[in-house]
Amino acid sequence: MSLALARKYRPRNFATVAVQSHVANTLKGAIASGRVAHGYLLCGPRGTGKTTLARVLAMALNCEELAEARRVSGTPSATEYSDAMAAAGEPCGRCTSCQRIWSGSASLDVVEIDAASNGGVADARELRERAMYAPSGDDRYKVYIIDEAHMLSRDAWNALLKVLEEPPPRVVFVFATTEAQKVLPTVISRLQRFDLKRIGPAEIRERLAAVLTEEGIRFESDALGMIAGAADGGLRDALSLTDQVLSLGETAEVTAERVRTALGLVPEEEYLALLDIIAQRRAVDVFDAVQRQVDGGVDLILLLAGIGRMLRAQLTIALGGGPPELSDRMRVALQERKGQLSAGDLLRMLHALLEIEPMYRRSGQPQLLLETLLVRFALLDRTVELEEVIRGFGAGGHDDPPVRRVAHEPRVASAHAMPPSPPPAVAPAIARQAPSMVAPPRSATQQVAESAAAAQIAEQRPAPRATATAPRVGPPPSVEQLSARWGSVCDAIKAAGRGMLAQAVARLVPVSVSVHGSVALTYDPADDTFARAADGARPDILTALQACFDGVTGVSVVSAVNANTQAPARAPRDTTKRLTAHDVQQQRTEQLSANDPLLEAAVRALDLELLD
């Protein structure tokens, strides 16, 4: 049998351990200075060198040549190599002891234990008793390597506490784990902890290139990048995947096409095709594209992860950066698509992908989830920002004050003009602002004081954000002219940054134009949600009308049932609902306001509720 690359090229000394120099240098210094601790805890992801470092440490402590170098160090008979080796604390990797420990063979002084199958309290007690026996030689150390240490039970850890705190002479414990949070804090306090880093794609590619060059195997740079990405930070995984790729085909070579076939990776062209579908808003093509991947046997979890990497790289390019770890072809293709999607859209896509990923792994219909996610991406242009929605309903934007915005018609030279705010004389007849509940009876003094405060608030309230300019000279338009060019009015409102208001105005229909140029707009009483928004933003509508037509001086919004009388629009009332005291008061307020324009102006400006 051929030896796997992960075993054949396992490091034989600290210097060749990839990336983990902060751990290797510390262990070398401890050996060279004779300050070896009795216990170590090596933590980190899989395939990052935990067991390798433990074995190299055991090799250095029991290396025959290193022990000889320590004995003769400083004497005339010491060789140059022995002096340098002793100073560096590196094992030779050639002696019998180093060979046995490196290959994992049986050794009297080095014992490897898998805690996944030996994690009970009985196993811990046996380990504690074996640790009491001295090493096989005076210059040797007894090293216990416990892999997957997080699998030890709580009782097993407690059984080891005493021996970890006061171990016998020349006994070293090395625990390796991928889940350090499961190790008891009382155990960690008795050990020296080292956290190993994930190995980056660049270091993995460099190591793979060195191994394949040593083996005399031809390889492509893009192929090594694909293996490094699939390894997910583990060098052992990368070497195992390389073995898998070499097993495919008759010739020993590592190409991008062979890597895709052996590892079941999705070609880059498919990711670019999905990006084009999203950018070109072709939502209907999403289903065929996903079904093609399913028919090809692609793992949809890997496809989702690849889409996330592609969107991340496109976002980096959109922000003006250069995404690392991309093939040259993919980098050029993403640069060509730089302007198709904005950075905000890409960021929203990545956020939606992160939200769906936990559900995706548990779902029984991953294909449906992926398809709906991609359709959402393709229809992202049909969504609106929350800030625009708020502006559309008159709740303010960046340039609005933090108070409720009250929109009314600007004062024009017309008999139908309405005063912007009520005079103080109306104040005693109206009560304080209230959202929807009936206030308890109050004295006349309280009512007058609160009414005066309401009038003062009205005086201090800023002017509406949008004010109409003077009407253009000319006769007012006809209803037919308004209807024919109503789309231009909506476009003018949308161009002013009021997208939601433009949608509301698009639902209104011009019904009449007075001789003074006042335009009446009607709506369906069964759906008055958008009509309320339009009625609260009449200055913006008037500004757009005056920009498109001559002679327009005012605008009003009326219900379809009141279109003939030009009565102000009222919210339709559900006759099947039980009337409450608040409903009765609201009806009474509407009746009084219809007969008194001054009172109506006060109710509109101050959002008042009539109590009596």
Side-chain angles (χ1 to χ4, degrees), residues 165-481:
E165 185 173 4
E166 298 178 0
R170 291 180 289 127
V171 174
V172 178
F173 293 93
V174 183
F175 297 93
T177 178
T178 57
E179 301 180 33
Q181 71 276 6
K182 294 185 178 180
V183 181
L184 296 180
T186 53
V187 175
I188 297 179
S189 64
R190 290 166 167 81
L191 305 173
Q192 290 188 12
R193 173 174 173 170
F194 294 96
D195 291 290
L196 278 68
K197 305 175 184 177
R198 295 175 64 88
I199 303 178
E203 289 82 3
I204 292 179
R205 284 207 313 269
E206 182 180 351
R207 180 63 176 169
L208 290 179
V211 169
L212 294 176
T213 302
E214 182 72 19
E215 292 286 321
I217 298 174
R218 189 180 68 86
F219 61 87
E220 296 178 0
S221 179
D222 289 347
L224 298 187
M226 296 167 63
I227 295 176
D232 194 23
L235 184 54
R236 183 183 61 216
D237 292 10
L239 291 171
S240 299
L241 293 176
T242 304
D243 269 329
Q244 183 177 338
V245 173
L246 291 175
S247 302
L248 180 68
E250 299 178 356
T251 59
E253 59 180 357
V254 180
T255 62
E257 185 62 31
R258 182 173 291 188
V259 170
R260 291 193 193 97
T261 304
L263 305 184
L265 302 180
V266 181
E268 294 178 346
E269 293 79 4
E270 297 294 337
Y271 289 121
L272 294 175
L274 287 175
L275 185 62
D276 290 337
I277 289 175
I278 295 171
Q280 298 169 12
R281 312 303 180 187
R282 294 185 284 114
V284 68
D285 295 337
V286 166
F287 302 97
D288 292 337
V290 174
Q291 188 61 46
R292 185 169 61 252
Q293 301 304 318
V294 173
D295 295 340
V298 173
D299 187 352
L300 294 182
I301 294 181
L302 296 179
L303 179 61
L304 184 68
I307 292 173
R309 289 193 298 269
M310 177 188 63
L311 293 178
R312 175 180 175 271
Q314 186 69 74
L315 176 61
T316 305
I317 292 177
L319 295 175
E325 312 307 331
L326 281 181
S327 65
D328 295 337
R329 182 181 179 279
M330 191 70 170
R331 183 177 288 103
V332 172
L334 293 181
Q335 285 287 356
E336 294 175 352
R337 294 164 171 80
K338 180 178 180 179
Q340 294 183 355
L341 292 170
S342 65
D345 286 344
L346 291 168
L347 191 60
R348 281 189 284 272
M349 292 178 193
L350 288 172
H351 184 69
L353 190 146
L354 292 176
E355 285 182 341
I356 203 176
E357 187 175 7
M359 184 193 314
Y360 192 84
R361 296 182 180 274
R362 300 190 305 267
S363 174
Q365 296 183 342
Q367 179 179 351
L368 181 60
L369 282 179
L370 180 59
E371 289 172 345
T372 54
L373 179 68
L374 295 177
V375 169
R376 285 175 56 191
F377 291 170
L379 299 179
L380 202 61
D381 62 326
R382 303 187 185 182
T383 61
V384 293
E385 296 183 2
L386 182 59
E387 183 178 313
E388 185 178 347
V389 175
I390 295 175
R391 286 202 305 265
F393 282 100
H398 289 298
D399 53 351
D400 293 322
V403 297
R404 183 181 181 275
R405 194 158 52 89
V406 180
H408 56 82
E409 289 186 12
R411 182 176 301 172
V412 295
S414 171
H416 300 281
M418 190 174 295
S421 60
V426 185
I430 53 180
R432 63 180 179 86
Q433 299 184 28
S436 61
M437 60 176 60
V438 180
R442 293 160 299 155
S443 64
T445 304
Q446 290 177 332
Q447 294 183 11
V448 172
E450 292 175 355
S451 300
Q456 185 178 2
I457 292 175
E459 293 177 0
Q460 295 176 354
R461 181 166 299 182
R465 184 172 61 89
T467 57
T469 58
R472 298 193 303 189
V473 179
S478 64
V479 176
E480 292 75 14
Q481 291 173 337

Side-chain angles (χ1 to χ4, degrees), residues 481-540:
Q481 291 173 337
L482 287 173
S483 301
R485 297 180 54 193
W486 194 245
S488 61
V489 177
C490 300
D491 293 339
I493 297 174
K494 187 174 182 181
R498 304 296 302 276
M500 284 298 298
L501 179 60
Q503 295 185 25
V505 172
R507 295 172 179 263
L508 303 179
V509 178
V511 65
S512 66
V513 182
S514 68
V515 294
H516 302 285
S518 179
V519 178
L521 306 176
T522 186
Y523 65 93
D524 184 3
D527 183 15
D528 68 334
T529 303
F530 288 93
R532 290 177 181 271
D535 188 55
R538 282 180 288 164
D540 297 315

